[in-house]
Amino acid sequence: PIELEEMQKRSDDELVAHIRTIGLPPNVVDMLDPQTTTANLIPLTAPFDGVVIGRAATVGEMVSPTSTQFVVADVNRMWITVEVRKEHAGQVRLGQSIDFLADGASASVVGVVDWISTELDEETRTLSVRASVPNPILDQGPQGETRRLLKANTFGIGHIILSEAPQALAVPTPSIQYDGKEHFVFVRSTSGFLRRNVQLGPAEGGYTEIRSGLNVEELVVSAGSHVLK
C-alpha cells in the first residue's frame, strides 16, 4: 500500500528508489546494491509456507504470469496413493484407514481414504486410492534443515483396513472351498462331515473371516478339505 501524503514529501530520487523496491520485504531491500539493482524488481511470493523443491527461473530469462518459476511444496503432510487390484476394488470405501510403510522407513504412517478414482489404470488395471497423512519429523540436519520420514515418489506397501471388530469368527483360508456359485466349508459331525455354505469377510494372515453360516463351537476341516469336495 502507498500513502499519497507520504509520497508527496519525497524527492524524485527518493521516489525512484522506493518504486524500485516496492513490495519487497525490508530485509531483502537491505541486501540490494542500489548502484547495480535493476529498476523493475517484482516480488514473487509463495501462497503458503513450504519448501522450494523446483526452480525453472534463470538469470536474464523473460518471465510471464503463465510460466512456472518456482515449485513450493508443503511437506508437513503427504499424499499416499495405493493401487488396489480390480477384484478388491469393490471393498474400498471413503473413510477407511490406510496403514502405509515406505521402503526403507522404520515406522508406518496412518491416514484415511479421502479419494477413490472413478476409473482403472489402462496398463496396470488397478484402482487408485488416496489418503492424506502427516509426515513425521525424524531429526534436524547438520545445516538446521528438518528431515522427515516420507519422501515424494517413494514406493511402499499400504494396507487398507476394511473393517475392525473386537471379536470375529475366522477359519484357516485353505478350509474354504468354492463350487462356482457359493463358498462353503466342511463341518465335523457325529456321522461324518457336513457342507456349510458361508458368507466370507476379509482375509489376512492365512485366515478368512466368516460373516455367517458357521457357529463358534463347530470344528471345520482345514488341510484336506479339497478331498472332501
Side-chain angles (χ1 to χ4, degrees):
I2 297 178
E3 296 294 338
L4 182 59
E5 294 181 359
E6 181 184 349
M7 294 297 103
Q8 290 175 338
K9 298 176 182 179
R10 300 190 179 191
S11 65
D12 289 345
D13 291 340
E14 290 174 337
L15 287 174
V16 170
H18 179 71
I19 293 175
R20 174 183 295 179
T21 59
I22 193 170
L24 297 179
N27 61 327
V28 175
V29 176
D30 295 340
M31 298 170 55
L32 301 176
D33 184 353
Q35 302 299 323
T36 59
T37 300
T38 178
N40 59 348
L41 291 177
I42 298 176
L44 185 62
T45 60
F48 55 83
D49 294 339
V51 178
V52 177
I53 62 172
R55 186 194 72 174
T58 56
V59 177
E61 180 184 13
M62 182 177 295
V63 300
S64 70
T66 60
S67 59
T68 300
Q69 305 307 317
F70 295 92
V71 179
V72 180
D74 179 6
V75 295
N76 293 318
R77 297 189 67 84
M78 301 289 280
W79 275 354
I80 300 298
T81 303
V82 178
E83 301 298 332
V84 180
R85 290 184 296 186
K86 63 179 182 179
E87 58 265 30
H88 299 150
Q91 302 179 57
V92 180
R93 298 288 186 272
L94 293 176
Q96 292 173 335
S97 296
I98 290 182
D99 186 285
F100 179 80
L101 179 62
D103 292 345
S106 57
S108 61
V109 292
V110 178
V112 175
V113 175
D114 56 18
W115 177 81
I116 301 174
S117 177
T118 58
E119 61 181 359
L120 296 178
D121 185 275
E122 294 183 355
E123 297 182 358
T124 63
R125 309 308 297 167
T126 56
L127 180 72
S128 294
V129 177
R130 191 182 69 203
S132 177
V133 299
N135 193 2
I137 296 177
L138 293 178
D139 54 35
Q140 297 288 334
Q143 304 299 324
E145 70 277 12
T146 300
R147 294 200 315 123
R148 294 185 177 271
L149 178 67
L150 299 178
K151 305 295 184 183
N153 301 317
T154 300
F155 288 98
I157 299 297
H159 290 89
I160 300 177
I161 311 302
L162 300 181
S163 63
E164 292 182 288
Q167 292 182 336
L169 175 60
V171 299
T173 299
S175 66
I176 301 172
Q177 301 297 326
Y178 184 62
D179 62 4
K181 294 182 180 180
E182 296 179 305
H183 291 92
F184 59 93
V185 297
F186 288 103
V187 176
R188 190 174 72 176
S189 69
T190 56
S191 59
F193 298 98
L194 303 176
R195 167 176 166 157
R196 287 284 181 81
N197 294 337
V198 292
Q199 297 295 324
L200 304 183
E204 178 69 23
Y207 286 83
T208 299
E209 180 185 0
I210 302 298
R211 296 278 176 82
S212 63
L214 191 66
N215 296 322
V216 175
E217 66 276 5
E218 293 179 308
L219 297 177
V220 299
V221 179
S222 55
S225 63
H226 63 285
V227 177
L228 292 178
K229 176 187 175 182

